[in-house]
Amino acid sequence: MRSATAEDLVQLPALEAASDTLLEGLIGPDSNGSLTRAGALPPPAAVAELASASRILVAGEPPAGFARIEEVDGQAHLEQLSVHPSAAGAGLGRLLVESALQWAREQGYRSMTLCTFAQIPFNAPFYRSCGFEEVPEPHGQLREVREHERLLGLDDMGLRVAMRRDLNPT
């Protein structure tokens, strides 16, 4: 696991797009099982947007997965976790999450949040297995993140939840 380089950043939008194909048939499907135009996921982040992230961690060379970390409500926020389909199911996502949590601890954050689909096995159930718990009523900037997702149409594709994990449980 390492921090992304400028060379990595230019590869990440294609990696995110490839990772999004894992959701086909699981959210917003039409009768053929493909994502409908109305149910299309937002486009991958642009290189400039990725470059401005608080931290991007990548796994592999070239990258087979990445974690994009931002700050929301003064705490770490896992904005994006993407794993290439060819590497799915091999533990890379869990390694990226653990690395993101470790980075956040080292930066002094007390918690990490994220937003995800509630019923997709490699989304909320996966994050629960990583120690995240659902935030029933997000507030502050986390509520703003959820509202932004709703405006993007993500809520039309399936139930979304905000989740949080304490980084220094007592």
Side-chain angles (χ1 to χ4, degrees), residues 30-147:
D30 64 14
S31 60
N32 296 322
S34 299
L35 293 177
T36 63
R37 183 170 181 194
L41 290 166
V47 173
E49 185 180 350
L50 293 167
S52 70
S54 293
R55 177 69 72 185
I56 304 276
L57 299 172
V58 297
E61 189 146 339
F66 74 94
R68 175 181 167 191
I69 308 164
E70 299 291 357
E71 186 173 294
V72 171
D73 291 323
Q75 297 304 312
H77 180 79
L78 184 59
E79 176 64 27
Q80 181 69 38
L81 179 70
S82 292
V83 174
H84 194 278
S86 66
L92 190 56
R94 188 169 304 278
L95 181 60
L96 283 160
V97 169
E98 289 302 323
S99 296
L101 291 166
Q102 183 59 37
W103 177 86
R105 276 187 206 95
E106 290 169 359
Q107 303 312 302
Y109 291 112
R110 295 181 324 276
S111 66
M112 179 176 278
T113 57
L114 59 86
C115 298
T116 193
F117 288 103
Q119 299 169 337
I120 295 176
F122 53 88
N123 278 205
F126 164 74
Y127 291 116
R128 271 188 213 94
S129 77
C130 292
F132 286 83
E133 297 177 352
E134 189 172 334
V135 177
E137 293 186 35
H139 60 278
Q141 291 176 326
L142 188 57
R143 180 172 43 195
E144 292 173 17
V145 170
R146 283 293 300 118
E147 178 61 16

